[in-house]
Amino acid sequence: MKNYLFIWVIKLVAVVILVQTLYFKFTGAEESVYIFSTIGAELFGRIGSGIVELIASILILIPRTTLLGALLGLVTMSGALLTHLVFLGIEVKNDGGTLFILAIITFLCCSILVYNQKSKIPNLLKFKI
């Protein structure tokens, strides 16, 4: 029972962080526009990453697709962390590193979810027609 509750808390933390950033991406908030302009991916990158994060959030919440959503979130957060480290720096527009920290937390949550569902990974590689 404890493990079940822990996993749901981890899922909710990841999903809340992923979903709360969607508002800023989809409305063209100054910070989001700055980030994606800096990496040369404004508009399509911003909206595209928002769509991917929305899909990952939905998949994480559905027990049958949690592994897929967590993998998608893990890849997305890897890109975000790399972008911070290579192009943006840890602090973006005087945010005190908040976006970087949220990306780390989401990355860790998705890693825990993948680890928890590691036995299902071989099934992802099997294609049923």
Side-chain angles (χ1 to χ4, degrees):
M1 182 65 172
K2 284 183 181 180
N3 187 41
Y4 182 78
L5 181 62
F6 173 74
I7 292 302
W8 269 100
V9 168
I10 294 299
K11 284 181 179 188
L12 291 176
V13 168
V15 168
V16 166
I17 292 172
L18 288 168
V19 169
Q20 67 93 19
T21 63
L22 296 179
Y23 171 79
F24 300 100
K25 287 182 177 162
F26 291 151
T27 61
E30 179 187 346
E31 199 168 64
S32 286
V33 171
Y34 170 79
I35 289 168
F36 287 94
S37 294
T38 301
I39 62 173
E42 173 43 21
L43 192 57
F44 294 112
R46 178 170 50 84
I47 300 299
S49 70
I51 291 169
V52 169
E53 290 174 12
L54 177 60
I55 292 168
S57 298
I58 293 167
L59 292 173
I60 286 170
L61 289 175
I62 301 169
R64 191 172 179 170
T65 59
T66 295
L67 176 60
L68 194 55
L71 287 169
L72 193 56
L74 199 58
V75 169
T76 305
M77 289 303 108
S78 295
L81 291 170
L82 242 137
T83 300
H84 273 276
L85 294 173
V86 175
F87 299 107
L88 300 169
I90 291 174
E91 188 171 328
V92 177
K93 295 194 73 81
N94 300 317
D95 75 342
T98 301
L99 290 175
F100 185 74
I101 291 167
L102 290 173
I104 289 173
I105 292 168
T106 307
F107 180 88
L108 291 173
C109 288
C110 288
S111 297
I112 291 168
L113 293 172
V114 169
Y115 181 78
N116 180 257
Q117 303 236 327
K118 66 184 180 290
S119 63
K120 295 180 181 178
I121 291 174
N123 293 333
L124 286 179
L125 304 175
K126 293 179 184 175
F127 296 103
K128 296 179 184 176
I129 299 176

